[in-house]
Amino acid sequence: MKGMRGVGNIVQPEIPQEAFDWYDEYAHGDIDRRTFLQRLGTLGIAGLSAASLANSLLPNYALAEQVSFNDPDIKATYVEFDSPDGYGRARGYLVVPAGVSADQPAPAVLVAHENRGLNPYIEDVARRLAKAGYIALAPDALFSLGGYPGNDDQGRAMQKQLDRGKIEADFKAGARLLKSHELSTGKVGMVGFCFGGYLTNELAATLPDVIDAGAPFYGTPPSSEVAAIKAPLQLHFAGLDTRVNGYWPEYEAALKQADVDYTAYVYPDVNHGFHNDSTSRYNEESAELAWSRTLQFFDEKLKG
């Protein structure tokens, strides 16, 4: 069934919505840290300084580990691979389910990070996919600059220095690696968050013979032709995310015109980044529902 769907009302009254909106602007480079803190200072929350409120909005990656890298059901390593159209060499976090072999291959999923590099949350998403039976590869767009630096502010600044076309090429190289991997069935899905949601839409349009299913989370439309998309899409949107949601009507019209198989879900009263369990934007009910839908979608499209 096509169209936008919702899940029950969920609110987080302890942090005013303005703070989440300003954090979104800050996280996407629309305002600098000083402006962000100045705005937070105008809220006048008793017993909570602007700096304390900012810290409550920033990621705590210790909260993001749902699957340990030592889990016996998976094997996690870092791999390098060629990316001739990108930055020459790329690096990603490769997680393989235990028991997968050339004789017993598994479908694969490319995982695309936000606008700050391969952070611990995205690595955990890759492990979650492997735990569910998929070979998962999460490339790091920042590899050519030394890799994710350990904090998001520096990661965002580093990613801004890079050429978007070359980043896309690095992720395309990762998708092709999964397609031809000796342990892969050749079926490749893709999931991405924020900038990674855009990448998921973009690779669905530019690699129609590689991407077999795409699940973008709060991602903007592709810059390439929507009509080129052949893979089914399952799109996830945050109800309070006016920035990304503003692109949806035009994108949906293009998907319909191209007769793309898609389903879109909107989760009311949650913010951009609601799946990221390392931040206060996380909403457990909506995140778990969206993730269960994503896994079911991949099961249907990649394992069937």
Side-chain angles (χ1 to χ4, degrees):
M1 181 178 178
K2 297 182 179 181
M4 302 282 271
R5 306 178 187 176
V7 60
N9 291 333
I10 302 160
V11 294
Q12 295 176 309
E14 67 276 8
I15 298 178
Q17 184 57 43
E18 296 98 321
F20 286 111
D21 294 340
W22 296 333
Y23 176 75
D24 191 59
E25 291 184 58
Y26 167 60
H28 292 91
D30 297 326
I31 59 174
D32 60 21
R33 185 178 180 84
R34 181 177 181 180
T35 302
F36 175 51
L37 291 173
Q38 286 176 339
R39 289 185 182 181
L40 291 179
T42 67
L43 293 175
I45 301 175
L48 194 62
S49 68
S52 296
L53 182 54
N55 286 335
S56 72
L57 289 163
L58 296 173
N60 178 359
Y61 287 122
L63 302 175
E65 185 178 276
Q66 293 188 22
V67 179
S68 170
F69 66 89
N70 288 321
D71 191 299
D73 292 335
I74 64 171
K75 180 180 179 182
T77 58
Y78 293 94
V79 297
E80 292 187 22
F81 50 95
D82 290 332
S83 178
D85 297 322
Y87 282 95
R89 292 286 288 174
R91 185 175 189 253
Y93 187 60
L94 180 70
V95 195
V96 179
V100 171
S101 67
D103 294 327
Q104 292 184 306
V109 178
L110 188 71
V111 184
H113 60 67
E114 306 127 316
N115 65 337
R116 63 211 69 171
L118 180 59
N119 59 43
Y121 155 64
I122 296 297
E123 290 188 342
D124 194 67
V125 169
R127 293 194 295 270
R128 296 173 207 176
L129 283 162
K131 188 80 171 177
Y134 295 94
I135 299 168
L137 175 66
D140 186 358
L142 305 183
F143 177 61
S144 65
L145 298 177
Y148 176 70
N151 73 83
D152 282 15
D153 280 352
Q154 189 177 350
R156 275 191 294 269
M158 291 169 66
Q159 192 157 320
K160 277 186 176 181
Q161 301 173 30
L162 298 174
D163 179 88
R164 175 174 285 201
K166 289 188 176 182
I167 292 176
E168 292 170 5
D170 284 349
F171 276 82
K172 290 176 186 178
R176 294 188 181 102
L177 172 66
L178 290 177
K179 185 79 171 178
S180 61
H181 196 282
E182 63 179 359
L183 302 180
S184 169
T185 61
K187 288 284 190 178
V188 179
M190 184 170 179
V191 62
F193 306 87
C194 187
F195 175 71
Y198 158 77
L199 285 177
T200 303
N201 287 318
E202 178 67 11
L203 266 64
T206 54
L207 292 181
D209 296 329
V210 176
I211 302 300
D212 296 296
F217 278 66
Y218 22 88
T220 53
S223 56
S224 300
E225 287 295 326
V226 174
I229 297 175
K230 303 301 179 187
L233 300 177
Q234 184 184 88
L235 307 100
H236 301 273
F237 297 97
L240 299 175
D241 188 4
T242 56
R243 180 182 61 86
V244 170
N245 295 351
Y247 293 96
W248 174 240
E250 184 176 352
Y251 186 25
E252 182 177 35
L255 290 170
K256 287 180 176 178
Q257 185 175 359
D259 199 28
V260 174
D261 177 10
Y262 78 94
T263 303
Y265 296 100
V266 63
Y267 302 82
D269 301 314
V270 297
N271 286 282
H272 182 98
F274 71 86
H275 184 267
N276 187 335
D277 50 356
S278 70
T279 78
S280 55
R281 297 178 296 170
Y282 174 62
N283 185 280
E284 183 177 5
E285 182 179 346
S286 294
E288 290 186 354
L289 177 57
W291 190 243
S292 67
R293 285 169 168 167
T294 301
L295 291 180
Q296 182 179 10
F297 173 66
F298 284 151
D299 286 350
E300 292 173 354
K301 305 302 181 183
L302 303 178
K303 290 183 178 180

